[in-house]
Amino acid sequence: MEAEDPALEQLVFLVGDSYHHMENWEKSAKYYMQFAKGNEQVQNADVALHNAGVAYSNFKKPDLNLAIAAYELLESKYPSSPHLSSARLKLGIIHYQSGRFNEVERPLTKIPSNHVLKPDADYFLAWSDLDNRKPVAAANRFQTLNKRLTRTTPNHRLVPLSNLYQGIAEFEGRRFAASVQTLSKFVSDFSRHEKLDEAAFNLGLAQMELEKWNDAIKSFETVPGKSTLHDRALYQSAWSKRSAAKPVEAIPYYKALLEKHATSPLANNVALELAEVESQTGGEQGVADSVRRLTELLKKKPSPNAELRRLALWRLGLVQRDRKNYLESARAFEDLLGGGAGNLQIQAAHEAGDAHRQASKNALGPARDREWKAALKNFEIAVQAKKAVPGTLDAEFQEQSLLSVGQCKAQLELWMDSQKAYELFIKSNPKHKFIRTAHLGLGWAFQKQENYPGAITSFEKAVAGGKRDLTGARAQFLLGECYFEREQHDKAIIEFAKVESLYAFPQWQSKAAYELAQALLSKENRAAARQQFERLIKRYPDTQAATAAKSELKLLN
């Protein structure tokens, strides 16, 4: 038999065909291409090119470039081949799956309108538009295809699919009302379709966008329990309840997700969000449940991702703060700082500092100083962080942390350091809402260093404007103290009298009345001092100043 014998040539094709049926794609492609190249006029050459393209696409590591070359060679050499439309469909799909959306249209639009593969071609053209971020064009293609098939071939497999993805394309194009209408039709007409879950889920998302919360939940509840979308449906149901301002009603959906889908990628986020809702709506038991849930989440193996861990520690710190468990609150915020707080650094440092400051109120001796030192360390972290953008929440926390540095150093009797912190705050924030508090603190630092002119100037700034609050009352009292300590008793009496007449705070009024009496004693006016002590006891009977006044009266008598 000679080499040019047609039977021998067909034998090469048959070898390739045998390997093709055996799904030995590498050898199949080899013999098909050996047969087709240079034998354009031989029977089955077009089939060989078509099947070689299929084989290349099915390699363990698909060689799509060779597949494209085979299909395009078939296009150029065999324009009348009955396999041309199939090759063009496969060529278009390769371009689509490779993300070459601009190259999809050429082969697919060349498939004749009456060809059996035309619906598939139009289907992938629509998908190409959708994935190429042209949702309006995609929706129109899906809709046109659906109408044509419904009219000509109502049982075609692409009728429900074109309906489904028309609705999803409308959603992607933010045509939510149209999406609801389209997807509702799918759910109604194809209630037994394998993609009912996808339709119901996306219908719920579209209804959420229209703020139809109850309708959305009904759609999410249509998603079957065995669906891979069921966890997401429960999650969105919870958010529908929260968006409808019914956070308590979100809890059962969160709990169902954790119970039925413990390994869901959403589980950790759900635990965090559930803890948040429990702490805000569940009273004491809810707060306790929130702490337990957050603690378990943080101990979970494998550990939550870094961002989720940050958020869990942040929430745990806030919940413990609200429970007045200040040391536990501080520990959570400090753990957050130790692991990299990211954009929560300033706020976490401030909260940690404030938690230690609150804890100091119930501490004594060395323990008290220890809490103030810990508070100072955290406030300084906030201050030393990158300067926050003015007007932001971070900027507010950073500014208040600088003020708190001054207060901490005063509590630790680091008066010069306290003075510097207050001066920096005043210079940096001359119109801050707590500027009077800063002047009060600065005055106290000056007073403790016996810099009375500086103290008096600062206290006068704190009372300027006549605001009758605690800051003003304390500043007015300390103003009297400065004059008293300088033995300017007449001025001291005037300033102490202002506390009683201008500020309705018995704690400071009684102290001022007591010190006014002491000033009178310093002037040897024992009778007036006695009257003052007696008046103090009568007017403020339950104060420490009244108790001290009783002792002074015994000495005077």
Side-chain angles (χ1 to χ4, degrees), residues 315-334:
R315 175 57 51 188
L316 181 59
L318 294 178
V319 173
Q320 294 286 33
R321 180 199 68 186
D322 294 343
R323 297 180 81 191
K324 299 187 179 355
N325 291 339
Y326 296 117
L327 291 178
E328 289 84 352
S329 175
R331 187 176 300 113
F333 289 125
E334 287 168 343

Side-chain angles (χ1 to χ4, degrees), residues 6 60 72 163 175 210 262 270 318 388-389 487 503 532 536:
K60 287 184 179 179
E72 289 181 342
N163 182 172
R175 297 163 59 197
L210 296 174
V270 167
L318 294 178
V389 177
E487 298 184 0
Y503 299 94
Q532 180 69 4
L536 187 165

Side-chain angles (χ1 to χ4, degrees), residues 81 169 186 191 203 250 266 342 347 375 443 453 473 479 489 522 524-525 530:
S81 170
F186 181 100
S191 59
L203 174 57
L266 295 172
Q347 295 180 48
L479 194 55
H489 300 119
S522 296
E524 301 296 333
N525 191 341
R530 181 181 291 103

Side-chain angles (χ1 to χ4, degrees), residues 187-459:
V187 171
S188 174
D189 293 351
F190 307 105
S191 59
R192 295 182 179 277
H193 195 277
E194 63 180 358
K195 289 189 177 290
L196 174 66
D197 59 344
E198 190 174 352
F201 179 75
N202 283 280
L203 174 57
L205 293 181
Q207 289 163 331
M208 285 183 74
E209 292 290 345
L210 296 174
E211 299 185 3
K212 295 182 177 181
W213 310 117
N214 289 334
D215 289 345
I217 290 171
K218 289 178 182 178
S219 296
F220 293 132
E221 289 177 344
T222 304
V223 176
K226 294 182 179 180
S227 168
T228 57
L229 293 172
H230 189 246
D231 58 337
R232 294 172 62 189
L234 289 170
Y235 183 71
Q236 295 299 338
S237 294
W239 268 106
S240 294
K241 287 296 187 182
R242 294 182 71 175
S243 299
K246 298 177 180 178
V248 174
E249 294 179 24
I251 292 176
Y253 292 103
Y254 279 137
K255 288 185 175 180
L257 193 157
L258 292 174
E259 178 183 342
K260 297 176 181 178
H261 305 283
T263 60
S264 167
L266 295 172
N268 287 345
N269 289 81
V270 167
L272 175 62
E273 292 178 19
L274 176 54
E276 179 183 11
V277 174
E278 287 173 329
S279 69
Q280 294 172 347
T281 64
E284 288 186 15
Q285 184 57 50
V287 170
D289 290 342
S290 177
V291 169
R292 175 185 56 78
R293 198 175 301 281
L294 291 168
T295 303
E296 289 176 354
L297 176 60
L298 290 165
K299 291 180 179 179
K300 191 173 180 180
K301 299 295 182 183
S303 300
N305 64 55
E307 179 60 20
L308 190 64
R309 181 180 179 277
R310 280 196 292 270
L311 294 175
L313 285 168
W314 173 254
R315 175 57 51 188
L316 181 59
L318 294 178
V319 173
Q320 294 286 33
R321 180 199 68 186
D322 294 343
R323 297 180 81 191
K324 299 187 179 355
N325 291 339
Y326 296 117
L327 291 178
E328 289 84 352
S329 175
R331 187 176 300 113
F333 289 125
E334 287 168 343
D335 284 348
L336 171 55
L337 291 168
N343 60 1
L344 290 173
Q345 182 183 15
I346 292 174
Q347 295 180 48
H350 179 87
E351 290 288 357
D354 198 55
H356 281 295
R357 174 162 52 190
Q358 294 295 335
S360 73
K361 296 178 181 179
N362 296 320
L364 299 173
R368 177 184 174 279
D369 284 351
R370 191 162 55 246
E371 292 305 319
W372 277 110
K373 288 177 182 177
L376 175 60
K377 178 181 178 180
N378 284 290
F379 287 131
E380 287 180 333
I381 290 173
V383 171
Q384 293 164 10
K386 181 180 178 181
K387 185 172 177 58
V389 177
T392 62
L393 189 60
D394 269 352
E396 181 178 342
F397 276 101
Q398 197 166 42
E399 291 159 2
Q400 291 185 21
S401 292
L402 176 57
L403 182 64
S404 296
V405 166
Q407 294 167 336
C408 289
K409 290 184 174 179
Q411 291 294 332
L412 294 168
E413 299 185 5
L414 302 171
W415 302 113
M416 178 58 74
D417 290 341
S418 177
Q419 172 191 329
K420 290 177 180 178
Y422 284 125
E423 287 173 336
L424 179 57
F425 178 89
I426 292 167
K427 180 180 179 181
S428 304
N429 308 283
K431 296 183 179 180
H432 198 278
K433 62 182 178 180
F434 292 133
I435 192 67
R436 293 171 57 248
T437 301
H439 284 304
L440 170 61
L442 179 59
W444 194 32
F446 278 138
Q447 182 181 356
K448 290 297 183 178
Q449 297 175 81
E450 298 185 3
N451 181 347
Y452 294 110
I456 289 169
T457 299
S458 294
F459 291 140

